Amino acid sequence: MIHTVNHNVTGDNGTQRNIIIEPVLHQSTSHELNATGLYKLYKGGNDGEAILFEIQEIAPEIGESKPLLDDKKNPDYLGQIMFDGDATAKWHYSEGSLSHYEQQQVVEFIQNTNS
């Protein structure tokens, strides 16, 4: 998966919330974008449609000269999932507050998207 996507997950209490799944990519010397196995997670919009620019400051090289917001200081940051190899490999969740049930839903979505 090389595109940022929105996905709904169901919490332990049965409520649904929208999250943004942003793959961290690496650009090869031939300018191809390749997945690194790392996915950053952010709170999405209530209507299920949100883009990363709504939650992240515009990079200085794109617009106004504002520093990027560090993920750990971003109130919309929900953590990250890292796969050891391809998306069918073992995974680790860190830096966030998603329940194990919510993590599993995100992992399943990523695996189904990458298959």
Side-chain angles (χ1 to χ4, degrees):
M1 179 168 81
I2 63 168
H3 298 287
T4 300
V5 297
N6 290 79
H7 181 64
N8 288 323
V9 295
T10 303
D12 294 342
N13 62 0
T15 61
Q16 284 209 339
R17 69 172 160 169
N18 184 264
I19 62 168
I20 297 170
I21 303 170
E22 177 194 14
V24 175
L25 305 173
H26 170 73
Q27 187 172 13
S28 69
T29 54
S30 61
H31 304 290
E32 293 178 354
L33 294 176
N34 300 306
T36 62
L38 177 64
Y39 297 85
K40 294 193 175 201
L41 310 173
Y42 301 91
K43 293 177 187 175
N46 291 335
D47 58 1
E49 291 297 323
I51 59 172
L52 215 45
F53 289 125
E54 292 175 355
I55 60 172
Q56 184 72 283
E57 295 285 347
I58 296 174
E61 63 274 10
I62 297 173
E64 298 177 26
S65 185
K66 294 183 181 177
L68 290 174
L69 184 60
D70 179 65
D71 283 331
K72 292 179 184 175
K73 294 179 182 175
N74 185 341
D76 292 332
Y77 183 62
L78 297 173
Q80 61 185 22
I81 291 179
M82 178 69 181
F83 288 91
D84 297 334
D86 65 16
T88 61
K90 186 176 178 181
W91 55 274
H92 307 280
Y93 174 75
S94 61
E95 300 180 358
S97 59
L98 292 180
S99 71
H100 188 69
Y101 179 56
E102 292 169 319
Q103 294 169 36
Q104 288 177 314
Q105 292 172 68
V106 173
V107 166
E108 184 178 300
F109 176 79
I110 293 169
Q111 290 172 331
N112 289 337
T113 302
N114 285 330
S115 59

